[in-house]
Amino acid sequence: MKNIAMWTLRGGLAVTFIWIGYMVLQNPAGWGKSIQPWALQVLPDPVENFMVLTGFFDIAIGIMLLINPLVGIGSALGALHLAGVVLGISSSGIIARDLGLLGACLALAIETFPWSLVDKFFHKIGRSS
């Protein structure tokens, strides 16, 4: 049963990220209007260019969620991206949706992230000092 639940979670998140990415690419200026004024000051000008990159990033995350070795990394990137969206977006409806997606990405990242690679990396650093 766990395998079916994981595939359902992965598939649902993947479709969501790919779909949102596609929608952002269709109207980057419109999506840029939902960004908080303070966040606009940090982003490159014009904001449409940033939104195009965001659209491609969303699609890339969605694809990573479908590829077994990349699920943990894709879900971690998705969680980081959604945390930024929650902080920088002005629409409470979008924030409410993205908080749920953020929770799903975090759960998937915790379950699938390649933690053994992180352990090996820090173990090597500890031995080299």
Side-chain angles (χ1 to χ4, degrees):
M1 186 58 94
K2 180 180 175 186
N3 197 21
I4 294 170
M6 289 298 286
W7 271 105
T8 303
L9 179 59
R10 287 172 61 180
L13 284 170
V15 167
T16 302
F17 274 101
I18 292 168
W19 193 342
I20 293 292
Y22 175 76
M23 290 190 323
V24 169
L25 291 174
Q26 296 304 303
N27 185 10
W31 282 80
K33 290 178 183 175
S34 64
I35 298 174
Q36 293 273 6
W38 68 264
L40 286 172
Q41 295 175 348
V42 179
L43 298 177
D45 199 29
V47 72
E48 289 84 6
N49 293 344
F50 177 76
M51 294 310 297
V52 167
L53 288 173
T54 299
F56 283 118
F57 186 61
D58 282 336
I59 292 170
I61 290 170
I63 292 169
M64 282 189 272
L65 292 170
L66 296 174
I67 301 171
N68 266 344
L70 301 177
V71 175
I73 294 167
S75 56
L77 288 173
L80 288 172
H81 174 55
L82 287 165
V85 169
V86 166
L87 292 173
I89 297 296
S90 59
S91 168
S92 61
I94 293 173
I95 291 170
R97 177 206 61 206
D98 287 345
L99 281 172
L101 293 172
L102 172 59
C105 280
L106 282 173
L108 189 58
I110 289 166
E111 186 67 26
T112 62
F113 193 81
W115 298 109
S116 61
L117 295 176
V118 175
D119 290 341
K120 285 180 186 177
F121 175 76
F122 284 110
H123 185 70
K124 279 188 176 185
I125 289 176
R127 275 194 283 162
S128 66
S129 15

